[in-house]
Amino acid sequence: MSYLDSPIGRCEEAHAMVLIDQTQEQCAEEHECPVGRYCPLAGYFADMHASERKPKAVDASARRRD
């Protein structure tokens, strides 16, 4: 996924378009939001940064045997 494919949202508090595939903390730091500021996009951010995500383990019993 490139920067151009990333989901974005309009933040009325920061008066900016923000990437919502990052964490809320990363966005707040990028846009210099003070601690405690109301975030209108709070429910839309990723819960962790993409570099920290790990693929889900596949359960051995769920694998198809051929």
Side-chain angles (χ1 to χ4, degrees):
M1 182 184 294
S2 75
Y3 172 77
L4 297 174
D5 296 332
S6 297
I8 59 172
R10 171 85 181 141
C11 178
E12 295 299 328
E13 290 292 314
H15 303 289
M17 299 299 286
V18 300
L19 297 174
I20 55 176
D21 63 347
Q22 61 187 340
T23 65
Q24 185 175 355
E25 292 79 16
Q26 290 169 321
C27 181
E29 184 177 319
E30 180 181 339
H31 296 282
E32 301 176 354
C33 295
V35 176
R37 173 185 262 181
Y38 166 73
C39 179
L41 299 173
Y44 296 97
F45 288 101
D47 57 353
M48 64 175 59
H49 192 267
S51 66
E52 299 170 350
R53 295 184 193 132
K54 297 191 179 2
K56 293 182 180 177
V58 177
D59 184 7
S61 63
R63 291 185 190 159
R64 184 176 156 194
R65 296 180 186 194
D66 290 319

